Amino acid sequence: MITENADKCRALLFSVIRQALLDHRAAIRASQHELPEYRRSKKLPHPTRSEILAHALQKEPALWIRSTERGEMSFEWCCEQVGIDPDWIRLRMNSNELLGRLSDVYK
């Protein structure tokens, strides 16, 4: 019973991490629309991919993922509970294939 509850808790924390990554991907997509519109209105050149990513990295999902805080429910704490290296995720958080690879890690 205790092991079953622990597994359910780990699965929930894994879902929290996955949702943060989905939200980060959504922030990248939003930045791909917001930033060009803003720059066009200011008669500035179209943003580069790096500028779009930099814009998305200022949003809440990326701030949580990139935080090095270690308290309960922090990104690092959640990763520790499910046995995933937070730096592994951080290095790949802007990758299109990360979510599929993350699902393979947590089986």
Side-chain angles (χ1 to χ4, degrees):
M1 180 70 163
I2 292 174
T3 302
E4 184 179 321
N5 286 340
D7 288 343
K8 287 178 182 178
C9 288
R10 278 191 290 279
L12 177 62
L13 291 173
F14 178 79
S15 295
V16 169
I17 294 166
R18 186 174 186 282
Q19 187 61 51
L21 291 166
L22 289 169
D23 291 348
H24 174 61
R25 298 302 301 167
I28 291 172
R29 284 191 303 277
S31 294
Q32 288 171 331
H33 297 288
E34 294 168 4
L35 202 52
E37 289 177 14
Y38 171 78
R39 294 189 122 199
R40 197 172 16 260
S41 74
K42 300 290 183 184
K43 298 187 181 348
L44 296 170
H46 197 283
T48 64
R49 173 144 172 81
S50 295
E51 291 170 324
I52 290 169
L53 285 175
H55 187 260
L57 288 172
Q58 296 173 19
K59 306 286 181 166
E60 187 175 355
L63 294 175
W64 185 72
I65 293 167
R66 294 172 61 216
S67 170
T68 57
E69 183 180 324
R70 300 200 44 84
E72 281 188 18
M73 295 309 294
S74 67
F75 177 72
E76 295 222 352
W77 183 86
C78 289
C79 287
E80 183 179 316
Q81 301 309 306
V82 298
I84 297 174
D85 180 3
D87 290 328
W88 184 87
I89 293 176
R90 289 183 185 117
L91 288 171
R92 294 162 179 84
M93 66 189 275
N94 298 318
S95 165
N96 290 330
E97 62 196 63
L98 173 64
L99 291 171
R101 291 178 72 190
L102 189 59
S103 294
D104 291 341
V105 168
Y106 194 78
K107 283 188 176 180

